[in-house]
Structures are given as structure tokens and as C-alpha cells.
Amino acid sequence: MKADAAYFAAFVICAGSAAASDFCTDLQNLQASVGGVELALPGTSNAVTCTQSLMLSGGTQLNCGWPFAYRAPQAADTFEGLVVAVTQCLGDGAVVTTDLNVNHPDFYDLQTFRAGGQEIGVSLKDKAALSETYVFLRVTFLPK
């Protein structure tokens, strides 16, 4: 899984328009998915299983996570590249919010995008107790 994340970081930073288009198509197709979702990392044939859950508001949420060694530079690169990729997929109409600083001993960063009845969160979280850093993708489909 950690090697997959490194490939993902390389993809996002060096992606061509065709590969970026595939990632955007995958994001669009997530809403039709039911249960655990296999999401192929862009630029690789490897997939990660994302979990889907129901929200109290009636919407659904999909969560994917990529582990890295604690504070590995590749985690920050993947986070930044994923923010760029999601921005490109959603276009100029997306509203982007940067989360406020939190009083937490580990590092945490969250960018939230809202467009077209969905909310996409990209986060970078250090987990010192686990000696790992995670990049998370959260896609929330709001009820219509």
C-alpha cells in the first residue's frame, strides 16, 4: 500500500491530461458505487478499498486512505498533488475551504471542496502513535 501511494504521488505531480481525465472520471463514477469500492490509484493498476457509509442527513460518504512512513515527504507531495487534481476535476465553480488550525499534537491539514452536490475533502494527518502519516480522500454525496 505504501508503494502504491508513492506511485500516486508521482502521478499527481507529473500527470498528463489523459491520466487526469481518468482520475476525474473515477471521481464522478463514485456516486453510483455501492458498498466497499475499489479505487485504482491513477497511473497504476493497483487499487485501494475505500469504505462507504451512510450519513444522518441521508447522504453517503466514501473514505479512502493511503499510509506513508511518519512525516515522509511523499505524503506531503501526494496531499498537494491530490489537492491540485481535485481542483482540476471540479473546475472553477468549486468552493474551497481550508480548515482552521486545531490544537492537536500531530500535524493536520484539510482542504474541502464543494461543487455539484458533493463535498470532497483531502487531508494530511500525522499519527505519531502509529508512526505513520496518512493522506485521506473523503467524498460526500449530499442528498438531493
Side-chain angles (χ1 to χ4, degrees), residues 61-115:
Q61 191 170 62
L62 185 72
N63 296 285
C64 310
W66 293 272
F68 294 87
Y70 186 64
R71 297 198 172 164
Q74 297 88 351
D77 292 345
T78 299
F79 169 75
E80 291 171 13
L82 190 54
V83 167
V84 169
V86 170
T87 300
Q88 290 173 347
C89 292
L90 296 180
D92 295 334
V95 176
V96 182
T97 305
T98 300
D99 203 23
L100 301 174
N101 290 333
V102 294
N103 184 12
H104 195 280
D106 294 331
F107 179 78
Y108 168 81
D109 194 358
L110 170 65
Q111 301 287 311
T112 304
F113 303 82
R114 287 186 183 88

Side-chain angles (χ1 to χ4, degrees), residues 5 8-15 20 23-24 26-27 30 39-42 48 50 63-66 68 74-90 96 109-113 120-124 134-139:
F8 181 70
F11 159 78
V12 173
I13 293 167
C14 303
F23 177 73
C24 295
D26 289 345
L27 274 181
L30 290 178
L39 181 63
L41 295 173
V48 61
C50 304
N63 296 285
C64 310
W66 293 272
F68 294 87
Q74 297 88 351
D77 292 345
T78 299
F79 169 75
E80 291 171 13
L82 190 54
V83 167
V84 169
V86 170
T87 300
Q88 290 173 347
C89 292
L90 296 180
V96 182
D109 194 358
L110 170 65
Q111 301 287 311
T112 304
F113 303 82
I120 299 176
V122 179
S123 60
L124 176 66
Y134 285 85
V135 174
F136 291 105
L137 173 69
R138 175 187 42 83
V139 182

